[in-house]
Amino acid sequence: MSTLTKILIVLVTISSIFLCGIVVTYVALADNYKDKYDEIKTERDSFKETANDKTEQLNKKIAEKDALEDKLNREIAKLNTEISTLKGDLKAANDEQKISNQRLSDMASVVETTTQTSKETTKLLMDTQAQLTLAEAEKTKLEAQFEDTSNTLLEKLAIIQTLEKEKKQLLEEKAELQSRMDKLLQPTGKAPAPVVIVTPPTDVARPAPVITKKIELRGLVTAVDSKNKMAGISIGTADGVKEGMRFHVTRANKFICDILIIDTDAEEAVGVLELIEEQPRPGDTVATNL
Amino acid sequence: MSPNRRIRGGKVIAADNLYTVILGLAFCIVLATAAFVAYKCYFQYETIFNIP
């Protein structure tokens, strides 16, 4: 055997040992791809099943979400309707509150006017009471004067009776003297001259002239109730209007009717229509004096 | 040591049987490697030559 063959045998042996070692090492350390494939396939199937379950749950949740969304939409529509109703109620309540506030302010003004009128009435009552006291004092004084005057009158009546008796006696004496004078003068053909009165006759007492003052109230007709023959005027107790006063209604110097006041307020008065020649209208002039 | 050891030029020279043994050893190693690979293929993929 040649040396070259020997070298080749040694090299083949070494290389085969080396290559076989590499192959054995590789095969021993190589992964089991079939197991990995099975494992991955099992895992994939599991994931697929899980995905199906999740998809089913998702569909279920979507259906529940749709149902809930429909329910919520119905509730939203219902709540929107309630909101609209409540807005309407709120608006009505606000309007009512405005009206109430207006009424309250009107009532406050009425109360204020009434209070002022009450104060004026109280003041007027006090003045009237003072005048009544004065009138009672005056009455007492007049009663005393009346008593004196009555006594004086009685005395005067007694004097008058006495004077009448004396007058009667004088007339009788005058008649007697006249008859005697006639008997004395008739034979001489004379007659007595008529008696001339020396004392001047006293004047007859006359009533003193009555001094009056015109009221001079003027206003306008504010309302007319032709059915009940009633009318309202624009002036009241603050201007001096009193119950029982009579106002004349005119329109451009033409007489329309009379209004007899039956109820008064601070700023207005109401009365009954009388002597109607023409139907009065709001705006016609009313006055106490034509 | 092979009995065919010879001395050539004053040096000891191995006999030819030694190289036969070495060659046989290499063959056995290759054979064992092939058997090991076949074993691993069969038990891992349940086949030797086919692709699963």
Side-chain angles (χ1 to χ4, degrees), chain A residues 37-50:
Chain A
Y37 169 76
D38 292 337
E39 186 178 348
I40 289 171
K41 186 179 179 183
T42 305
E43 192 173 358
R44 188 204 67 176
D45 292 339
S46 173
F47 281 143
K48 201 171 181 179
E49 189 174 354
T50 304

Side-chain angles (χ1 to χ4, degrees), chain A residues 74-281:
Chain A
R74 286 195 296 273
E75 288 184 357
I76 286 170
K78 188 178 178 182
L79 290 175
N80 283 329
T81 307
E82 288 183 0
I83 286 170
S84 300
T85 308
L86 290 175
K87 280 182 179 178
D89 293 343
L90 180 62
K91 189 177 180 183
N94 285 331
D95 294 340
E96 193 172 349
Q97 185 183 8
K98 286 180 182 176
I99 293 170
S100 299
N101 288 333
Q102 183 68 30
R103 285 182 181 172
L104 184 62
S105 60
D106 293 342
M107 289 297 291
S109 63
V110 169
V111 167
E112 188 176 357
T113 306
T114 308
T115 305
Q116 189 175 358
T117 307
S118 175
K119 285 180 181 176
E120 291 176 356
T121 308
T122 305
K123 186 179 178 184
L124 189 63
L125 179 63
M126 291 177 70
D127 293 343
T128 308
Q129 283 181 347
Q131 288 180 358
L132 180 63
T133 306
L134 290 174
E136 285 181 350
E138 189 75 17
K139 177 189 169 191
T140 307
K141 189 177 176 182
L142 288 173
E143 283 178 352
Q145 288 181 357
F146 177 73
E147 192 74 22
D148 293 341
T149 307
S150 297
N151 293 332
T152 306
L153 181 62
L154 290 173
E155 290 175 359
K156 297 288 184 185
L157 286 173
I159 292 170
I160 287 170
Q161 285 180 352
T162 306
L163 289 174
E164 282 183 349
K165 283 182 181 177
E166 289 178 356
K167 182 183 176 184
K168 194 174 179 181
Q169 289 175 358
L170 287 173
L171 287 173
E172 290 174 357
E173 286 178 1
K174 180 186 174 186
E176 181 64 24
L177 288 173
Q178 187 72 35
S179 64
R180 286 181 185 179
M181 192 178 290
D182 289 339
K183 286 178 182 177
L184 289 174
L185 291 176
Q186 275 179 358
T188 60
K190 293 180 183 178
V195 178
V196 177
I197 299 172
V198 178
T199 306
T202 55
D203 201 356
V204 179
R206 295 188 182 91
V210 179
I211 300 171
T212 57
K213 181 183 175 184
K214 291 184 177 180
I215 299 174
E216 291 291 346
L217 288 177
R218 296 183 71 83
L220 297 173
V221 175
T222 56
V224 176
D225 185 3
S226 57
K227 183 179 179 183
N228 298 318
K229 293 188 177 179
M230 304 277 283
I233 61 173
S234 61
I235 52 177
T237 54
D239 301 302
V241 178
K242 295 177 181 176
E243 293 180 4
M245 277 188 174
R246 186 180 298 279
F247 284 84
H248 308 293
V249 181
T250 56
R251 186 188 308 148
N253 296 326
K254 183 180 180 183
F255 178 77
I256 303 297
C257 64
D258 280 351
I259 297 177
L260 179 63
I261 300 300
I262 59 171
D263 188 20
T264 57
D265 201 351
E267 298 289 337
E268 60 182 3
V270 177
V272 181
L273 300 178
E274 293 181 344
L275 303 176
I276 301 172
E277 294 190 358
E278 196 172 329
Q279 191 62 31
R281 294 196 299 246

Side-chain angles (χ1 to χ4, degrees), chain A residues 6 13 16-17 20 27 34, chain B residues 16 19 22 26 29 33 40 44:
Chain A
K6 292 177 182 176
T13 303
S16 65
I17 291 170
C20 286
V27 169
K34 187 172 184 296
Chain B
D16 294 336
Y19 295 99
I22 291 171
I29 288 169
T33 300
K40 290 290 281 183
Q44 284 188 358

Side-chain angles (χ1 to χ4, degrees), chain A residues 1 3 5-7 9-10 12-14 16-17 19-21 23-25 27-28 30-35, chain B residues 6 8 13-16 19-20 22-23 25-27 29-33 36-37 40 43-46 52:
Chain A
M1 186 178 295
T3 304
T5 305
K6 292 177 182 176
I7 291 170
I9 289 170
V10 170
V12 164
T13 303
I14 291 170
S16 65
I17 291 170
L19 289 173
C20 286
V23 168
V24 167
T25 303
V27 169
D31 292 329
N32 190 349
Y33 288 105
K34 187 172 184 296
D35 289 342
Chain B
R6 290 174 299 180
R8 185 184 291 169
I13 299 169
D16 294 336
Y19 295 99
T20 305
I22 291 171
L23 198 60
L25 181 61
F27 178 74
I29 288 169
V30 170
L31 191 64
T33 300
F36 178 71
V37 170
K40 290 290 281 183
F43 279 98
Q44 284 188 358
Y45 302 106
E46 294 176 352

